[in-house]
Amino acid sequence: MSVPSFADIAKPSTDLLNKDFYHTAAAILEVKSKAPNGVSFNVKGKSSHDPATTGQIEAKYNDAPSGTFFDYLHFVISSRLKGSGFSSSIAVQSRQSVLLMKYIRAGLTITQAWTTLNVLDTKVELDNTFAQGLKAEVTTQFLPSSQSKGAKLNLHFKQPNFHARAFFDLLKGPTANVDAVLGHDGFLVGAEAGYDVQKAAITRYSAAIGYSVPAYAAAITATNNLSVFSASYYHKVNNDVEAGAKATWDSKSSNNVGLEVASKYKLDEESFAKAKINDRGIAALAYNVRLRRGVTLGLGASFDTQNLNQSAHKVGASFTFES
């Protein structure tokens, strides 16, 4: 298994606890399509329980790496001895002596999005351009109404047993956030730190350890300047059943430990169901089914089991169309 980023050390349990639960919004509609020239489009609309409606349209162009090309340059070497009246030339025969040229074209991805909040986002990604395993991202944000601008530079460096990231906010601060993870035989150890260049001070730091194999994973993280501690566990019981749990303790706010347990059951090749409950008695259910090729329906609901007679319950639905 490849070494994850610092944010993904506890990814298996985090995805099980948070992903594919549809009660968080009243309705979500997402349409994905891809043009013959490789440009993909994603239109997404969301209606929250507030109620408020937001949406965005996104276009992505991906110039995938085209591989390594080789070519041969054939040449002729000639020489002339001055003052002797004697000249000689050496002709190098084709395919016998050649100069090998190597050219690698790395991948380029450009993503542009425009939201209903009138925010223009642009991201340019260069993968394996400057060094093998290095991915560079430049993201910009522009708000026409307020003329507000933002620019960030993100670097991802990944090797078989190492994964490092650096995020630079070029206009605010500037600030830098750096994290790194070392892995060996499933064991993971990582750290994160934030730095404000203008203040010349460390603004945040975190640490994490974990163990991850395909069948199960466990992680312990200490975030918010080592004040919030979390322990998570994920177990793939078999091909149809997954289970996980997470406990969180904030040493600065309370002595209480938050606990959340979740499970996923694969009903068949086209559908699955999920359920979770936390220590406050909030339970959530979700159902996902692929109705046909390119059409997916998600249904979800959450209930306050300690106040069933109140209107704190939520339901939601998600429709995804992909071509």
Side-chain angles (χ1 to χ4, degrees):
M1 295 180 63
S2 60
V3 176
S5 65
F6 180 82
D8 292 337
I9 287 182
K11 180 176 173 59
S13 59
T14 300
D15 286 350
L16 182 64
L17 290 164
N18 299 323
K19 193 176 180 181
D20 296 324
F21 283 100
Y22 307 104
H23 65 275
T24 56
I28 296 176
L29 176 63
E30 187 171 8
V31 180
K32 303 177 183 179
S33 62
K34 190 172 184 178
N37 62 353
V39 179
S40 59
F41 298 91
N42 188 343
V43 181
K44 189 173 184 178
K46 178 180 178 180
S47 177
S48 63
H49 295 285
D50 295 336
T53 302
T54 59
Q56 75 169 27
I57 180 171
E58 177 184 281
K60 177 184 289 187
Y61 171 73
N62 184 19
D63 183 13
S66 51
T68 303
F69 297 89
F70 297 95
D71 199 2
Y72 293 93
L73 177 64
H74 305 276
F75 56 93
V76 175
I77 301 175
S78 63
S79 64
R80 181 178 296 272
L81 299 178
K82 295 183 179 180
S84 65
F86 176 79
S87 65
S88 65
S89 64
I90 302 174
V92 182
Q93 298 298 323
S94 174
R95 298 294 179 180
Q96 292 183 0
S97 182
V98 295
L99 175 63
L100 180 63
M101 295 187 299
K102 179 181 179 181
Y103 170 65
I104 301 176
R105 194 178 79 187
L108 169 67
T109 302
I110 301 175
T111 306
Q112 291 186 308
W114 188 17
T115 72
T116 53
L117 299 177
N118 200 17
V119 178
L120 297 172
D121 293 318
T122 302
K123 178 192 286 188
V124 179
E125 303 172 60
L126 294 171
D127 199 1
N128 293 323
T129 301
F130 305 105
Q132 187 66 30
L134 177 63
K135 180 181 179 181
E137 299 176 350
V138 177
T139 62
T140 61
Q141 187 177 80
F142 177 61
L143 283 73
S145 58
S146 62
Q147 298 297 307
S148 176
K149 304 178 182 67
K152 296 181 180 180
L153 171 64
N154 305 327
L155 300 176
H156 304 254
F157 184 65
K158 192 172 183 180
Q159 295 297 315
N161 296 316
F162 180 73
H163 195 159
R165 305 183 304 169
F167 306 93
F168 303 94
D169 194 322
L170 304 178
L171 301 183
K172 297 180 181 180
T175 62
N177 291 293
V178 181
D179 61 56
V181 177
L182 291 172
H184 180 69
D185 290 339
F187 290 95
L188 305 169
V189 58
E192 176 193 42
Y195 185 77
D196 191 314
V197 176
Q198 188 173 9
K199 297 179 181 178
I202 295 177
T203 57
R204 53 183 288 189
Y205 48 90
S206 306
I209 59 173
Y211 181 75
S212 181
V213 292
Y216 59 92
I220 298 175
T221 61
T223 58
N224 290 13
N225 301 338
L226 306 184
S227 64
V228 179
F229 300 89
S230 298
S232 59
Y233 176 74
Y234 166 84
H235 183 202
K236 186 173 183 179
V237 181
N238 52 48
N239 291 332
D240 298 329
V241 179
E242 301 174 31
K246 181 179 180 181
T248 305
W249 175 54
D250 190 339
S251 62
K252 290 186 177 180
S253 64
S254 171
N255 287 326
N256 297 327
V257 177
L259 181 63
E260 196 170 14
V261 180
S263 181
K264 177 180 178 180
Y265 179 66
K266 184 179 178 181
L267 300 173
D268 51 45
E269 294 298 326
E270 306 294 338
S271 63
F272 63 84
K274 297 183 69 174
K276 68 176 181 178
I277 189 169
N278 60 25
D279 61 295
R280 293 174 284 112
I282 305 298
L285 301 173
Y287 174 70
N288 179 288
V289 60
R290 189 171 71 168
L291 301 176
R292 54 177 296 179
R293 183 178 179 180
V295 181
T296 304
L297 169 66
L299 301 173
S302 69
F303 309 93
D304 188 344
T305 59
Q306 297 181 353
N307 299 283
L308 291 175
N309 59 340
Q310 297 183 7
S311 59
H313 318 303
K314 298 178 181 179
V315 294
S318 172
F319 297 91
T320 302
F321 300 89
E322 187 172 1
S323 63

